[in-house]
Amino acid sequence: MKGRFITFEGGEGCGKSTQIKLLYEYLKRKDKDIVLTKEPGGTDIGLELRRILVEGEVSKLDASAEALLFFADRRIHLVQKVWPALAQGCWVLSDRFADSTMAYQYYAYHERLSKTDLDMLYRFAVGDFKPDLTLILDLDPQIGLARSFKKAEGMAQKELRNESRALEWHQRLRQGFLQIAQAEPQRCVVLDANQSIEALHADVVRTVSERFKI
Ligand code: TMP
Protein backbone atom coordinates (compact mmCIF):
# COMPACT_ATOMS: atom_id res chain seq x y z
CA MET A 1 0.00 0.00 0.00
CA LYS A 2 1.40 3.36 -1.06
CA GLY A 3 -0.85 5.84 0.74
CA ARG A 4 -0.74 6.98 4.35
CA PHE A 5 -3.34 6.19 6.97
CA ILE A 6 -3.71 8.85 9.68
CA THR A 7 -6.24 8.51 12.49
CA PHE A 8 -7.59 11.07 14.94
CA GLU A 9 -8.65 9.94 18.40
CA GLY A 10 -9.89 11.44 21.64
CA GLY A 11 -12.82 11.79 24.02
CA GLU A 12 -16.08 13.63 23.47
CA GLY A 13 -15.83 17.25 22.33
CA CYS A 14 -12.04 17.18 21.87
CA GLY A 15 -12.23 18.88 18.44
CA LYS A 16 -11.26 15.91 16.24
CA SER A 17 -13.82 16.62 13.54
CA THR A 18 -12.75 20.25 13.18
CA GLN A 19 -9.06 19.38 13.19
CA ILE A 20 -9.34 16.54 10.71
CA LYS A 21 -11.17 18.85 8.26
CA LEU A 22 -8.47 21.49 8.65
CA LEU A 23 -5.74 18.91 7.99
CA TYR A 24 -7.70 17.66 4.98
CA GLU A 25 -7.77 21.20 3.53
CA TYR A 26 -4.08 21.71 4.33
CA LEU A 27 -3.05 18.48 2.57
CA LYS A 28 -5.31 19.26 -0.40
CA ARG A 29 -3.39 22.51 -0.86
CA LYS A 30 -0.25 20.33 -0.98
CA ASP A 31 -1.79 18.44 -3.91
CA LYS A 32 -2.28 15.18 -2.07
CA ASP A 33 -5.11 12.81 -3.03
CA ILE A 34 -7.01 12.47 0.21
CA VAL A 35 -10.00 10.63 1.57
CA LEU A 36 -11.64 12.03 4.69
CA THR A 37 -13.67 9.42 6.54
CA LYS A 38 -14.87 8.34 9.97
CA GLU A 39 -15.84 5.50 12.26
CA PRO A 40 -18.48 4.53 12.95
CA GLY A 41 -20.32 5.46 9.75
CA GLY A 42 -17.73 5.73 6.97
CA THR A 43 -19.90 3.60 4.63
CA ASP A 44 -23.64 3.23 3.91
CA ILE A 45 -23.93 0.15 6.10
CA GLY A 46 -21.73 1.85 8.68
CA LEU A 47 -24.17 4.75 8.88
CA GLU A 48 -26.89 2.31 9.90
CA LEU A 49 -24.60 0.81 12.55
CA ARG A 50 -23.68 4.31 13.72
CA ARG A 51 -27.31 5.15 14.46
CA ILE A 52 -27.64 2.02 16.59
CA LEU A 53 -24.40 2.75 18.43
CA VAL A 54 -24.56 6.46 19.17
CA GLU A 55 -28.26 7.15 19.73
CA GLY A 56 -30.62 6.04 22.46
CA GLU A 57 -30.34 4.55 25.92
CA VAL A 58 -26.92 3.98 27.44
CA SER A 59 -27.87 0.52 28.71
CA LYS A 60 -29.24 -0.87 25.43
CA LEU A 61 -25.90 -2.53 24.52
CA ASP A 62 -23.10 -3.85 26.72
CA ALA A 63 -19.37 -3.50 26.03
CA SER A 64 -19.12 -6.86 24.19
CA ALA A 65 -22.02 -6.12 21.82
CA GLU A 66 -20.59 -2.65 21.18
CA ALA A 67 -17.13 -4.04 20.43
CA LEU A 68 -18.59 -6.52 17.90
CA LEU A 69 -20.60 -3.82 16.15
CA PHE A 70 -17.71 -1.36 16.06
CA PHE A 71 -15.44 -4.02 14.57
CA ALA A 72 -18.13 -4.95 12.01
CA ASP A 73 -18.33 -1.27 11.02
CA ARG A 74 -14.50 -1.16 10.86
CA ARG A 75 -14.20 -4.25 8.69
CA ILE A 76 -16.73 -2.88 6.18
CA HIS A 77 -14.99 0.51 6.27
CA LEU A 78 -11.56 -1.01 5.59
CA VAL A 79 -12.71 -3.31 2.79
CA GLN A 80 -14.99 -0.85 1.00
CA LYS A 81 -13.14 2.41 1.47
CA VAL A 82 -9.82 2.58 3.34
CA TRP A 83 -7.82 -0.21 1.71
CA PRO A 84 -8.90 0.59 -1.88
CA ALA A 85 -8.00 4.27 -1.35
CA LEU A 86 -4.58 3.42 0.14
CA ALA A 87 -3.89 1.03 -2.72
CA GLN A 88 -4.44 3.91 -5.13
CA GLY A 89 -1.89 6.00 -3.24
CA CYS A 90 -4.41 8.25 -1.45
CA TRP A 91 -3.85 9.57 2.03
CA VAL A 92 -6.73 8.46 4.24
CA LEU A 93 -7.70 10.53 7.28
CA SER A 94 -10.08 8.77 9.65
CA ASP A 95 -12.00 10.39 12.47
CA ARG A 96 -11.55 7.48 14.94
CA PHE A 97 -10.28 3.93 14.44
CA ALA A 98 -9.51 0.92 16.63
CA ASP A 99 -7.93 2.86 19.52
CA SER A 100 -11.44 4.14 20.20
CA THR A 101 -12.62 0.57 20.80
CA MET A 102 -9.78 -0.07 23.24
CA ALA A 103 -10.37 3.26 25.02
CA TYR A 104 -14.18 3.15 25.14
CA GLN A 105 -15.07 -0.55 25.30
CA TYR A 106 -12.10 -1.56 27.48
CA TYR A 107 -10.66 1.30 29.56
CA ALA A 108 -13.80 3.39 30.04
CA TYR A 109 -15.98 0.37 30.80
CA HIS A 110 -13.49 -0.34 33.55
CA GLU A 111 -11.86 -3.32 31.94
CA ARG A 112 -14.97 -5.50 31.84
CA LEU A 113 -13.74 -7.03 28.58
CA SER A 114 -10.35 -8.62 28.33
CA LYS A 115 -7.66 -6.93 26.30
CA THR A 116 -6.82 -10.29 24.76
CA ASP A 117 -10.37 -10.63 23.44
CA LEU A 118 -10.22 -7.17 21.89
CA ASP A 119 -6.80 -7.96 20.36
CA MET A 120 -8.33 -11.13 18.93
CA LEU A 121 -11.23 -9.16 17.40
CA TYR A 122 -8.69 -6.72 15.97
CA ARG A 123 -6.75 -9.53 14.32
CA PHE A 124 -9.96 -11.08 12.96
CA ALA A 125 -11.34 -7.84 11.51
CA VAL A 126 -8.20 -5.87 10.67
CA GLY A 127 -5.26 -8.30 10.54
CA ASP A 128 -1.76 -6.76 10.83
CA PHE A 129 -2.79 -3.43 9.35
CA LYS A 130 -2.24 -0.32 11.53
CA PRO A 131 -2.39 3.46 11.13
CA ASP A 132 0.87 5.14 10.07
CA LEU A 133 0.15 7.91 12.56
CA THR A 134 -2.44 8.42 15.28
CA LEU A 135 -3.09 11.86 16.74
CA ILE A 136 -4.70 11.73 20.16
CA LEU A 137 -6.39 15.00 21.12
CA ASP A 138 -6.21 15.15 24.89
CA LEU A 139 -8.76 17.21 26.82
CA ASP A 140 -10.27 17.42 30.30
CA PRO A 141 -13.64 15.62 29.86
CA GLN A 142 -15.51 18.34 31.73
CA ILE A 143 -14.57 20.80 28.98
CA GLY A 144 -15.22 18.28 26.20
CA LEU A 145 -18.64 17.22 27.47
CA ALA A 146 -19.78 20.83 27.83
CA ARG A 147 -18.78 21.41 24.18
CA SER A 148 -20.64 18.27 23.03
CA PHE A 149 -23.88 19.15 24.79
CA LYS A 150 -23.74 22.70 23.42
CA LYS A 151 -23.19 21.39 19.88
CA ALA A 152 -26.14 18.96 20.19
CA GLU A 153 -28.56 21.69 21.34
CA GLY A 154 -29.89 22.62 17.90
CA MET A 155 -29.60 19.15 16.35
CA ALA A 156 -32.62 16.97 15.59
CA GLN A 157 -30.64 13.74 15.83
CA LYS A 158 -29.02 13.60 19.29
CA GLU A 159 -25.88 11.48 19.21
CA LEU A 160 -25.45 11.67 22.95
CA ARG A 161 -25.46 8.06 24.09
CA ASN A 162 -21.91 8.17 25.45
CA GLU A 163 -22.12 11.75 26.63
CA SER A 164 -24.77 10.75 29.17
CA ARG A 165 -22.34 8.50 31.03
CA ALA A 166 -20.76 9.53 34.35
CA LEU A 167 -17.78 11.86 34.51
CA GLU A 168 -15.57 9.09 35.99
CA TRP A 169 -16.33 7.02 32.89
CA HIS A 170 -14.99 9.84 30.71
CA GLN A 171 -11.98 10.27 32.96
CA ARG A 172 -11.12 6.57 32.54
CA LEU A 173 -11.57 7.06 28.80
CA ARG A 174 -9.05 9.91 28.80
CA GLN A 175 -6.54 7.84 30.79
CA GLY A 176 -7.13 4.94 28.40
CA PHE A 177 -6.12 7.01 25.39
CA LEU A 178 -3.01 8.19 27.25
CA GLN A 179 -2.05 4.60 28.10
CA ILE A 180 -2.50 3.56 24.47
CA ALA A 181 -0.18 6.42 23.43
CA GLN A 182 2.38 5.44 26.04
CA ALA A 183 2.40 1.84 24.82
CA GLU A 184 2.93 2.83 21.17
CA PRO A 185 4.97 6.05 21.09
CA GLN A 186 6.14 5.53 17.49
CA ARG A 187 2.58 5.49 16.18
CA CYS A 188 0.76 7.79 18.61
CA VAL A 189 1.29 11.47 19.32
CA VAL A 190 -0.68 13.17 22.09
CA LEU A 191 -1.66 16.80 21.44
CA ASP A 192 -3.08 19.25 23.97
CA ALA A 193 -6.64 19.98 22.80
CA ASN A 194 -7.18 22.72 25.38
CA GLN A 195 -6.01 25.49 23.07
CA SER A 196 -7.43 27.51 20.21
CA ILE A 197 -8.44 25.82 16.95
CA GLU A 198 -5.59 27.60 15.15
CA ALA A 199 -2.93 26.66 17.71
CA LEU A 200 -4.02 23.02 17.73
CA HIS A 201 -4.09 22.97 13.92
CA ALA A 202 -0.50 24.26 13.93
CA ASP A 203 0.47 21.35 16.24
CA VAL A 204 -1.28 18.89 13.92
CA VAL A 205 0.47 20.25 10.83
CA ARG A 206 3.87 20.26 12.58
CA THR A 207 3.42 16.64 13.67
CA VAL A 208 2.29 15.42 10.24
CA SER A 209 5.01 17.38 8.41
CA GLU A 210 7.76 16.06 10.66
CA ARG A 211 6.53 12.49 10.44
CA PHE A 212 6.11 12.34 6.67
CA LYS A 213 8.67 14.94 5.61
CA ILE A 214 6.17 17.02 3.61
P1 TMP B 1 -17.91 10.49 17.23
O1 TMP B 1 -19.28 11.10 17.18
O2 TMP B 1 -17.04 11.12 18.24
O3 TMP B 1 -17.31 10.32 15.90
O4 TMP B 1 -18.02 8.96 17.71
C1 TMP B 1 -19.14 8.26 17.89
C2 TMP B 1 -19.20 7.64 19.27
O5 TMP B 1 -18.83 6.26 19.19
C3 TMP B 1 -18.30 8.29 20.30
O6 TMP B 1 -19.03 8.41 21.51
C4 TMP B 1 -17.20 7.28 20.48
C5 TMP B 1 -17.87 5.95 20.20
N1 TMP B 1 -16.98 4.89 19.73
C6 TMP B 1 -16.75 3.77 20.53
O7 TMP B 1 -17.29 3.70 21.64
N2 TMP B 1 -15.96 2.77 20.07
C7 TMP B 1 -15.38 2.79 18.83
O8 TMP B 1 -14.66 1.86 18.45
C8 TMP B 1 -15.61 3.97 17.99
C9 TMP B 1 -15.01 4.03 16.63
C10 TMP B 1 -16.42 4.97 18.48
Side-chain angles (χ1 to χ4, degrees):
M1 287 180 181
K2 296 169 285 171
R4 304 284 189 190
F5 184 45
I6 302 175
T7 57
F8 278 64
E9 298 279 10
E12 308 303 330
C14 67
K16 287 177 294 90
S17 311
T18 304
Q19 290 300 327
I20 203 167
K21 279 188 207 118
L22 290 174
L23 179 63
Y24 173 83
E25 284 155 18
Y26 173 85
L27 290 172
K28 267 248 166 286
R29 290 196 295 273
K30 297 239 158 213
D31 279 339
K32 300 264 177 238
D33 288 328
I34 317 177
V35 172
L36 176 57
T37 187
K38 68 174 178 185
E39 290 191 0
T43 62
D44 289 345
I45 297 172
L47 281 173
E48 296 185 41
L49 292 173
R50 181 179 176 96
R51 194 187 51 72
I52 294 168
L53 283 158
V54 304
E55 292 176 26
E57 284 299 307
V58 172
S59 58
K60 72 179 188 181
L61 298 168
D62 68 5
S64 305
E66 285 181 12
L68 289 166
L69 290 173
F70 279 115
F71 270 110
D73 168 73
R74 186 158 303 130
R75 175 76 193 174
I76 298 163
H77 187 216
L78 287 169
V79 170
Q80 293 188 359
K81 198 166 176 183
V82 177
W83 287 334
L86 289 172
Q88 286 180 1
C90 291
W91 287 44
V92 179
L93 310 182
S94 184
D95 188 339
R96 298 195 183 281
F97 189 62
D99 295 315
S100 279
T101 313
M102 193 53 92
Y104 280 80
Q105 279 65 50
Y106 176 72
Y107 286 107
Y109 268 104
H110 214 19
E111 306 176 11
R112 259 182 246 165
L113 291 182
S114 90
K115 225 179 206 166
T116 317
D117 286 344
L118 281 183
D119 286 341
M120 202 178 63
L121 282 182
Y122 187 102
R123 213 155 302 123
F124 182 70
V126 184
D128 292 333
F129 175 76
K130 277 193 172 193
D132 296 294
L133 175 67
T134 295
L135 299 173
I136 295 177
L137 307 195
D138 178 55
L139 185 65
D140 179 339
Q142 270 179 308
I143 301 173
L145 287 171
R147 284 184 190 169
S148 284
F149 282 115
K150 190 149 187 276
K151 189 172 152 197
E153 264 169 21
M155 292 166 120
Q157 233 53 34
K158 304 262 188 251
E159 296 193 336
L160 291 173
R161 188 164 163 254
N162 274 332
E163 282 81 347
S164 24
R165 297 182 199 268
L167 184 61
E168 304 89 76
W169 196 91
H170 291 278
Q171 276 154 349
R172 287 198 297 271
L173 176 71
R174 181 186 194 187
Q175 293 311 315
F177 276 122
L178 295 176
Q179 289 195 40
I180 290 168
Q182 214 172 26
E184 283 189 74
Q186 311 87 327
R187 176 174 67 84
C188 302
V189 175
V190 178
L191 299 177
D192 177 10
N194 191 19
Q195 48 180 338
S196 71
I197 290 175
E198 296 74 24
L200 183 52
H201 175 56
D203 282 355
V204 169
V205 166
R206 193 174 319 114
T207 308
V208 171
S209 308
E210 276 169 16
R211 179 62 61 103
F212 301 114
K213 314 280 177 262
I214 54 163

Coordinates of all heavy atoms in Angstrom, one line a residue, residues 15-75:
G15 N -12.5 18.1 19.6 CA -12.2 18.9 18.4 C -11.7 18.1 17.3 O -11.2 18.7 16.3
K16 N -11.8 16.8 17.3 CA -11.3 15.9 16.2 C -11.8 16.3 14.9 O -11.1 16.4 13.9 CB -11.7 14.4 16.4 CG -11.0 13.6 17.4 CD -11.7 12.3 17.5 CE -13.1 12.2 17.9 NZ -14.2 12.3 17.0
S17 N -13.2 16.4 14.8 CA -13.8 16.6 13.5 C -13.4 17.9 12.9 O -13.1 18.0 11.7 CB -15.3 16.6 13.7 OG -15.7 15.4 14.4
T18 N -13.2 19.0 13.7 CA -12.8 20.2 13.2 C -11.3 20.1 12.7 O -11.0 20.5 11.6 CB -12.8 21.3 14.3 OG1 -14.1 21.4 14.8 CG2 -12.3 22.7 13.8
Q19 N -10.5 19.5 13.5 CA -9.1 19.4 13.2 C -8.8 18.5 12.0 O -7.9 18.8 11.2 CB -8.3 18.9 14.4 CG -8.2 19.9 15.5 CD -7.5 21.2 15.1 OE1 -6.6 21.2 14.3 NE2 -7.9 22.3 15.7
I20 N -9.6 17.4 11.8 CA -9.3 16.5 10.7 C -9.7 17.3 9.4 O -9.1 17.1 8.4 CB -10.1 15.2 10.9 CG1 -9.4 14.1 10.1 CG2 -11.5 15.3 10.6 CD1 -9.9 12.7 10.5
K21 N -10.8 18.1 9.5 CA -11.2 18.8 8.3 C -10.1 19.9 7.9 O -9.8 20.1 6.7 CB -12.5 19.6 8.5 CG -13.7 18.6 8.3 CD -15.0 19.4 8.3 CE -16.1 18.4 8.8 NZ -16.8 18.8 10.1
L22 N -9.5 20.5 8.9 CA -8.5 21.5 8.6 C -7.2 20.8 8.1 O -6.6 21.3 7.1 CB -8.1 22.2 9.9 CG -9.2 23.2 10.5 CD1 -8.7 23.8 11.8 CD2 -9.4 24.3 9.5
L23 N -6.9 19.6 8.6 CA -5.7 18.9 8.0 C -6.0 18.5 6.6 O -5.2 18.6 5.7 CB -5.4 17.7 8.9 CG -4.2 16.9 8.3 CD1 -2.9 17.7 8.3 CD2 -4.0 15.6 9.1
Y24 N -7.3 18.1 6.3 CA -7.7 17.7 5.0 C -7.5 18.8 4.0 O -6.9 18.7 2.9 CB -9.2 17.3 5.0 CG -9.8 17.0 3.7 CD1 -9.7 15.7 3.1 CD2 -10.6 18.0 3.0 CE1 -10.2 15.5 1.8 CE2 -11.2 17.7 1.8 CZ -11.0 16.5 1.2 OH -11.6 16.2 0.0
E25 N -7.9 20.0 4.4 CA -7.8 21.2 3.5 C -6.3 21.5 3.3 O -5.9 21.9 2.2 CB -8.5 22.4 4.1 CG -10.0 22.3 3.9 CD -10.8 23.0 4.9 OE1 -10.3 23.9 5.6 OE2 -12.0 22.7 5.0
Y26 N -5.5 21.4 4.4 CA -4.1 21.7 4.3 C -3.4 20.8 3.3 O -2.6 21.2 2.5 CB -3.5 21.6 5.7 CG -2.0 21.7 5.7 CD1 -1.3 22.9 5.8 CD2 -1.2 20.5 5.7 CE1 0.0 23.0 5.8 CE2 0.2 20.6 5.7 CZ 0.8 21.9 5.7 OH 2.2 22.0 5.7
L27 N -3.7 19.5 3.4 CA -3.1 18.5 2.6 C -3.5 18.6 1.1 O -2.8 18.4 0.2 CB -3.3 17.1 3.1 CG -2.6 16.7 4.4 CD1 -3.0 15.4 4.9 CD2 -1.1 16.7 4.2
K28 N -4.8 19.0 1.0 CA -5.3 19.3 -0.4 C -4.5 20.4 -1.1 O -4.2 20.3 -2.2 CB -6.8 19.7 -0.3 CG -7.8 18.6 -0.4 CD -8.5 18.7 -1.8 CE -9.3 17.5 -2.2 NZ -8.9 16.4 -2.6
R29 N -4.2 21.4 -0.3 CA -3.4 22.5 -0.9 C -2.0 22.0 -1.2 O -1.3 22.6 -2.0 CB -3.3 23.7 0.1 CG -4.6 24.4 0.3 CD -4.4 25.8 1.0 NE -4.0 25.7 2.3 CZ -4.7 25.5 3.4 NH1 -6.0 25.5 3.3 NH2 -4.2 25.4 4.6
K30 N -1.6 20.9 -0.6 CA -0.2 20.3 -1.0 C -0.4 19.3 -2.1 O 0.5 18.5 -2.3 CB 0.3 19.6 0.2 CG 0.6 20.5 1.4 CD 2.1 20.5 1.8 CE 2.5 21.7 2.5 NZ 3.8 22.2 2.3
D31 N -1.6 19.3 -2.8 CA -1.8 18.4 -3.9 C -1.8 17.0 -3.6 O -1.4 16.1 -4.5 CB -0.8 18.7 -5.0 CG -1.2 19.9 -5.8 OD1 -2.4 20.2 -5.8 OD2 -0.3 20.5 -6.5
K32 N -2.2 16.6 -2.4 CA -2.3 15.2 -2.1 C -3.7 14.7 -2.4 O -4.7 15.5 -2.3 CB -2.1 15.0 -0.6 CG -0.8 15.4 0.0 CD 0.2 14.3 0.0 CE 1.6 14.7 0.5 NZ 2.6 14.4 -0.4
D33 N -3.8 13.4 -2.9 CA -5.1 12.8 -3.0 C -5.5 12.3 -1.7 O -4.8 11.5 -1.1 CB -5.0 11.6 -4.0 CG -4.8 12.1 -5.4 OD1 -5.3 13.2 -5.7 OD2 -4.1 11.4 -6.2
I34 N -6.7 12.8 -1.2 CA -7.0 12.5 0.2 C -8.4 12.0 0.3 O -9.3 12.5 -0.4 CB -6.9 13.7 1.1 CG1 -5.6 14.5 0.8 CG2 -6.9 13.3 2.6 CD1 -5.5 15.7 1.6
V35 N -8.6 11.1 1.2 CA -10.0 10.6 1.6 C -10.2 11.0 3.0 O -9.4 10.6 3.9 CB -10.2 9.1 1.4 CG1 -11.5 8.6 1.9 CG2 -10.0 8.8 -0.1
L36 N -11.3 11.7 3.3 CA -11.6 12.0 4.7 C -12.8 11.1 5.1 O -13.8 11.1 4.4 CB -12.0 13.5 4.7 CG -12.5 14.1 6.1 CD1 -11.5 13.9 7.2 CD2 -12.9 15.6 5.9
T37 N -12.6 10.4 6.2 CA -13.7 9.4 6.5 C -13.8 9.3 8.1 O -13.1 10.0 8.8 CB -13.4 8.1 5.8 OG1 -14.5 7.2 6.1 CG2 -12.1 7.4 6.3
K38 N -14.7 8.4 8.5 CA -14.9 8.3 10.0 C -15.4 7.0 10.4 O -15.9 6.2 9.6 CB -15.8 9.4 10.4 CG -17.3 9.2 9.9 CD -18.2 10.2 10.5 CE -19.6 10.0 10.0 NZ -20.5 11.0 10.5
E39 N -15.2 6.7 11.7 CA -15.8 5.5 12.3 C -16.6 5.9 13.5 O -16.0 6.7 14.3 CB -14.8 4.5 12.6 CG -14.1 3.8 11.4 CD -13.3 2.6 11.8 OE1 -13.1 2.3 13.0 OE2 -12.7 2.0 10.9
P40 N -17.7 5.4 13.9 CA -18.5 4.5 13.0 C -19.2 5.4 11.9 O -19.4 6.6 12.1 CB -19.5 3.9 13.9 CG -19.7 4.9 15.0 CD -18.4 5.6 15.2
G41 N -19.5 4.8 10.7 CA -20.3 5.5 9.7 C -19.6 5.9 8.5 O -20.1 6.8 7.8
G42 N -18.5 5.3 8.2 CA -17.7 5.7 7.0 C -18.3 5.1 5.7 O -17.8 5.4 4.6
T43 N -19.3 4.2 5.8 CA -19.9 3.6 4.6 C -21.4 3.6 4.8 O -21.9 4.0 5.9 CB -19.5 2.1 4.5 OG1 -20.0 1.5 5.7 CG2 -18.0 1.9 4.4
D44 N -22.2 3.2 3.8 CA -23.6 3.2 3.9 C -24.1 2.3 5.0 O -24.9 2.6 5.8 CB -24.3 2.8 2.6 CG -24.1 3.9 1.5 OD1 -23.8 5.0 1.9 OD2 -24.3 3.6 0.3
I45 N -23.5 1.1 5.0 CA -23.9 0.2 6.1 C -23.5 0.7 7.5 O -24.2 0.6 8.5 CB -23.3 -1.2 5.8 CG1 -23.9 -1.8 4.5 CG2 -23.7 -2.2 7.0 CD1 -23.2 -3.1 4.1
G46 N -22.3 1.3 7.4 CA -21.7 1.9 8.7 C -22.6 2.9 9.3 O -22.7 3.1 10.5
L47 N -23.3 3.7 8.4 CA -24.2 4.7 8.9 C -25.3 4.1 9.6 O -25.8 4.7 10.6 CB -24.7 5.6 7.7 CG -23.7 6.7 7.2 CD1 -24.2 7.4 6.0 CD2 -23.4 7.7 8.3
E48 N -25.8 3.0 9.2 CA -26.9 2.3 9.9 C -26.4 1.8 11.3 O -27.1 1.9 12.3 CB -27.4 1.1 9.1 CG -28.1 1.6 7.8 CD -28.7 0.5 7.0 OE1 -29.4 -0.4 7.6 OE2 -28.6 0.5 5.8
L49 N -25.2 1.3 11.3 CA -24.6 0.8 12.5 C -24.4 2.0 13.5 O -24.6 1.9 14.7 CB -23.3 0.1 12.3 CG -23.4 -1.3 11.6 CD1 -22.0 -1.8 11.2 CD2 -24.1 -2.3 12.4
R50 N -23.9 3.1 12.9 CA -23.7 4.3 13.7 C -24.9 4.7 14.5 O -24.9 5.0 15.7 CB -23.2 5.5 12.8 CG -22.9 6.7 13.6 CD -22.4 7.9 12.8 NE -22.3 9.0 13.7 CZ -21.1 9.4 14.2 NH1 -20.0 8.8 14.0 NH2 -21.1 10.4 15.1
R51 N -26.1 4.7 13.8 CA -27.3 5.2 14.5 C -27.6 4.3 15.7 O -28.0 4.7 16.7 CB -28.5 5.1 13.5 CG -29.7 5.8 13.9 CD -30.9 5.6 12.9 NE -31.1 4.2 12.6 CZ -31.6 3.3 13.5 NH1 -32.0 3.6 14.7 NH2 -31.7 2.0 13.1
I52 N -27.4 3.0 15.5 CA -27.6 2.0 16.6 C -26.7 2.3 17.7 O -27.1 2.3 18.9 CB -27.4 0.6 16.1 CG1 -28.5 0.2 15.1 CG2 -27.4 -0.4 17.3 CD1 -28.2 -1.1 14.3
L53 N -25.4 2.6 17.4 CA -24.4 2.7 18.4 C -24.4 4.1 19.2 O -24.1 4.1 20.4 CB -23.0 2.5 17.8 CG -22.7 1.1 17.5 CD1 -21.6 0.9 16.5 CD2 -22.3 0.4 18.8
V54 N -24.8 5.2 18.5 CA -24.6 6.5 19.2 C -25.9 7.1 19.6 O -25.8 8.1 20.3 CB -23.8 7.5 18.3 CG1 -22.4 6.9 17.9 CG2 -24.5 7.9 17.1
E55 N -27.0 6.5 19.3 CA -28.3 7.1 19.7 C -28.9 6.2 20.7 O -28.7 5.0 20.7 CB -29.2 7.3 18.5 CG -28.7 8.4 17.5 CD -29.7 8.5 16.3 OE1 -30.9 8.2 16.4 OE2 -29.1 8.9 15.3
G56 N -29.8 6.8 21.6 CA -30.6 6.0 22.5 C -30.1 5.8 23.8 O -29.1 6.5 24.3
E57 N -30.7 4.8 24.5 CA -30.3 4.5 25.9 C -28.9 4.0 26.1 O -28.5 3.1 25.3 CB -31.3 3.4 26.4 CG -32.7 3.9 26.7 CD -32.7 5.0 27.8 OE1 -32.1 4.7 28.9 OE2 -33.2 6.0 27.6
V58 N -28.3 4.4 27.1 CA -26.9 4.0 27.4 C -26.9 2.5 27.6 O -26.0 1.8 27.1 CB -26.4 4.6 28.8 CG1 -25.1 4.0 29.2 CG2 -26.3 6.1 28.6
S59 N -27.9 1.9 28.3 CA -27.9 0.5 28.7 C -28.3 -0.5 27.6 O -28.4 -1.7 27.8 CB -28.7 0.3 29.9 OG -30.0 0.7 29.6
K60 N -28.7 0.0 26.4 CA -29.2 -0.9 25.4 C -28.2 -1.9 24.9 O -28.6 -2.9 24.4 CB -29.9 -0.1 24.3 CG -29.0 0.6 23.3 CD -29.7 1.3 22.2 CE -28.8 1.9 21.2 NZ -29.5 2.6 20.1
L61 N -26.9 -1.6 25.0 CA -25.9 -2.5 24.5 C -24.8 -2.6 25.6 O -24.5 -1.6 26.2 CB -25.2 -2.0 23.3 CG -26.1 -1.8 22.0 CD1 -25.3 -1.0 21.0 CD2 -26.5 -3.2 21.4
D62 N -24.2 -3.8 25.8 CA -23.1 -3.9 26.7 C -21.8 -3.7 25.9 O -21.8 -3.6 24.7 CB -23.2 -5.1 27.6 CG -22.9 -6.4 26.8 OD1 -22.6 -6.3 25.6 OD2 -23.0 -7.5 27.4
A63 N -20.7 -3.8 26.7 CA -19.4 -3.5 26.0 C -19.1 -4.5 25.0 O -18.5 -4.2 23.9 CB -18.3 -3.5 27.1
S64 N -19.4 -5.8 25.2 CA -19.1 -6.9 24.2 C -19.9 -6.6 22.9 O -19.3 -6.7 21.8 CB -19.5 -8.2 24.7 OG -18.9 -8.5 26.0
A65 N -21.2 -6.4 23.0 CA -22.0 -6.1 21.8 C -21.5 -4.9 21.1 O -21.4 -4.9 19.8 CB -23.5 -5.9 22.2
E66 N -21.1 -3.9 21.8 CA -20.6 -2.7 21.2 C -19.3 -3.0 20.4 O -19.1 -2.6 19.3 CB -20.3 -1.6 22.2 CG -21.5 -0.9 22.7 CD -21.2 0.2 23.8 OE1 -20.0 0.6 23.9 OE2 -22.2 0.7 24.4
A67 N -18.4 -3.7 21.1 CA -17.1 -4.0 20.4 C -17.4 -4.8 19.1 O -16.7 -4.5 18.1 CB -16.3 -4.9 21.4
L68 N -18.3 -5.8 19.1 CA -18.6 -6.5 17.9 C -19.1 -5.6 16.8 O -18.7 -5.7 15.6 CB -19.6 -7.6 18.2 CG -19.0 -8.8 19.1 CD1 -20.2 -9.7 19.6 CD2 -18.1 -9.6 18.2
L69 N -20.0 -4.7 17.2 CA -20.6 -3.8 16.2 C -19.6 -2.8 15.6 O -19.5 -2.5 14.4 CB -21.8 -3.1 16.7 CG -23.1 -4.0 17.0 CD1 -24.2 -3.2 17.7 CD2 -23.6 -4.5 15.7
F70 N -18.7 -2.3 16.5 CA -17.7 -1.4 16.1 C -16.7 -2.1 15.1 O -16.3 -1.5 14.2 CB -17.0 -0.7 17.2 CG -17.7 0.5 17.8 CD1 -18.2 0.4 19.2 CD2 -18.0 1.6 17.1 CE1 -18.9 1.5 19.7 CE2 -18.7 2.7 17.7 CZ -19.1 2.6 19.0
F71 N -16.4 -3.3 15.5 CA -15.4 -4.0 14.6 C -16.1 -4.4 13.3 O -15.4 -4.5 12.2 CB -14.8 -5.2 15.3 CG -13.5 -4.9 16.0 CD1 -13.4 -4.8 17.3 CD2 -12.4 -4.5 15.2 CE1 -12.2 -4.5 18.0 CE2 -11.2 -4.2 15.8 CZ -11.1 -4.1 17.2
A72 N -17.4 -4.7 13.3 CA -18.1 -4.9 12.0 C -18.1 -3.7 11.1 O -17.8 -3.7 10.0 CB -19.6 -5.4 12.3
D73 N -18.4 -2.6 11.8 CA -18.3 -1.3 11.0 C -16.9 -1.1 10.4 O -16.8 -0.7 9.3 CB -18.7 -0.1 12.0 CG -18.3 1.2 11.4 OD1 -19.1 1.7 10.5 OD2 -17.3 1.8 11.8
R74 N -15.9 -1.4 11.3 CA -14.5 -1.2 10.9 C -14.1 -2.1 9.7 O -13.5 -1.6 8.7 CB -13.6 -1.5 12.1 CG -12.1 -1.2 11.9 CD -11.5 -0.9 13.3 NE -12.2 0.1 14.0 CZ -12.6 0.1 15.2 NH1 -12.4 -1.0 16.0 NH2 -13.2 1.1 15.8
R75 N -14.5 -3.3 9.8 CA -14.2 -4.3 8.7 C -14.8 -3.8 7.4 O -14.1 -3.7 6.3 CB -14.7 -5.6 9.0 CG -14.6 -6.7 7.9 CD -13.2 -7.2 7.9 NE -12.9 -7.9 6.6 CZ -11.7 -8.3 6.3 NH1 -10.7 -8.1 7.0 NH2 -11.6 -9.0 5.1

